Amino acid sequence: MLTVLVALGANTLIAIAKSVVAMMTGSASMVAEAAHSWADAGNEVFLVLAERKSAQPRDRSHPLGYGREAYVWSMFAAFGLFTAGAVVSIWHGITSLQHGEEEADYLWAYVVLGVSFALEAVSWAQAVRQTRREAAERGLTPIRYIWTTPNPTLRAVVAEDTAALVGLVVAGTGILLHQLTGNPVWDAIGSILVGLLLGVVAVFLIGRNRDFLTGQAVSVETRDRALRTLLAHPEIERVTYLHLEWVGPDKVFLVAAVDLVGDQAEHDVALVLDRLATELRTHEMVEEAVLTLATPDRPALLPR
């Protein structure tokens, strides 16, 4: 939540400043950047909702919890980035190519771009710190973690802030080339490039949220950690089946077939399985756990 709130505050201030300068200069690149920042600020509101909604405890109507709410609201945010950011920026850039722009003093544009870069860098640094910390805990590189993480808000903030920093450089370059050459085409091209960048990021975020909404399996690393945890239990001799599915940010639904140590009576086995499942549910990452008895003909699963 801290990462999202930092991004929300930074993007709101940046959007206001860019909008004022876009009206003062008429720069296509600044209009694109203003649309970008307003889209980002609106998206952070959706991400705040994603954090709050997904944290609701499970109930009878949602036995696996409300974790997938995070992917729904993050999907809305990604669509907003595509429409309010990418489409508007590309459309304005094309319009500027057709009709041109009036000459203007771009000093304030450079000032706002510089301040915006500093504020975006603060938000980006907060998101990257969280990413590196969580990636290190899971033994993953930051890039692989951003791709595989079930936390859609963190992925969205990192992707949007990275796109924002790149977009600021592109916009500044377009404005500078316009000034140096006197040709407004460069500014318009800058707007179009910013729009294309936002479109790529939006499609990436939409695709990943869709994957988790439709039942994304956990990574091999997460599956192996879960398998090792089960095999380390003194009452479990082997595991022949293991299903792990993300049902929310850092929450999984676990189903496993296990062979218990010894040869206990059916009643005792049922009690042991129920107790082990209850223990698993106390783990911070397990939303629900179901254990069943393995059949002798199934081979044992082994971690890598």
Side-chain angles (χ1 to χ4, degrees):
M1 182 63 79
L2 174 62
T3 298
V4 175
L5 292 177
V6 169
L8 174 59
N11 283 318
T12 302
L13 293 174
I14 292 168
I16 294 171
K18 286 179 180 177
S19 297
V20 172
V21 173
M23 289 187 291
M24 291 171 56
T25 64
S27 165
S29 293
M30 284 305 300
V31 171
E33 278 299 308
H36 179 182
S37 292
W38 281 118
D40 280 353
N43 292 348
E44 308 308 337
V45 175
F46 283 122
L47 296 182
V48 170
L49 287 172
E51 287 288 311
R52 293 178 63 86
K53 294 285 187 180
S54 65
Q56 297 178 89
R58 61 181 179 169
D59 52 32
R60 290 184 178 179
S61 63
H62 290 77
L64 293 180
Y66 289 83
R68 287 195 173 106
E69 284 269 8
Y71 307 121
V72 174
W73 292 99
S74 297
M75 182 77 85
F76 289 157
F79 277 121
L81 182 66
F82 186 83
T83 54
V87 174
V88 170
S89 298
I90 294 173
W91 173 81
H92 187 74
I94 293 173
T95 302
S96 297
L97 280 175
Q98 294 173 340
H99 303 292
E101 299 177 20
E102 297 180 1
E103 291 294 329
D105 180 5
Y106 290 111
L107 174 61
W108 282 107
Y110 291 127
V111 171
V112 169
L113 287 175
V115 173
S116 298
F117 194 93
L119 291 174
E120 289 286 5
V122 171
S123 176
W124 181 82
Q126 167 65 25
V128 168
R129 277 195 298 270
Q130 181 179 344
T131 299
R132 287 177 175 171
R133 182 179 69 251
E134 295 182 7
E137 291 172 356
R138 292 159 177 78
L140 300 174
T141 64
I143 292 178
R144 176 163 173 74
Y145 179 66
I146 284 299
W147 179 268
T148 61
T149 179
N151 186 339
T153 55
L154 177 61
R155 176 169 36 246
V157 172
V158 171
E160 291 176 8
D161 285 353
T162 301
L165 292 174
V166 175
L168 288 167
V169 174
V170 171
T173 303
I175 293 172
L176 178 61
L177 290 174
H178 180 184
Q179 280 193 307
L180 293 177
T181 65
N183 188 347
V185 168
W186 292 109
D187 200 5
I189 291 175
S191 177
I192 295 172
L193 290 177
V194 169
L196 291 174
L197 174 64
L198 297 183
V200 170
V201 172
V203 169
F204 163 67
L205 294 176
I206 289 170
R208 291 307 287 147
N209 282 304
R210 180 196 61 200
D211 291 338
F212 283 94
L213 279 171
T214 54
Q216 174 74 51
V218 304
S219 65
V220 175
E221 295 85 359
T222 301
R223 178 252 188 200
D224 283 350
R225 285 201 308 274
L227 183 55
R228 289 191 182 95
T229 299
L230 289 171
L231 292 174
H233 198 285
E235 293 182 276
I236 296 178
E237 183 173 326
R238 65 192 187 107
V239 178
T240 62
Y241 175 80
L242 179 59
H243 172 81
L244 291 165
E245 178 183 329
W246 293 114
V247 293
D250 296 319
K251 291 291 185 179
V252 297
F253 174 40
L254 182 152
V255 181
V258 301
D259 190 6
L260 299 178
V261 174
D263 189 15
Q264 305 177 57
E266 180 180 349
H267 175 267
D268 295 331
V269 168
L271 292 176
V272 172
L273 290 177
D274 183 68
R275 176 168 51 79
L276 291 178
T278 302
E279 289 180 13
L280 287 171
R281 294 186 194 104
T282 62
H283 192 283
E284 60 180 5
M285 286 185 64
V286 178
E287 183 67 43
E288 179 61 282
V290 177
L291 294 183
T292 186
L293 200 60
T295 57
D297 59 318
R298 290 292 184 90
L301 298 179
L302 297 174
R304 292 185 307 172

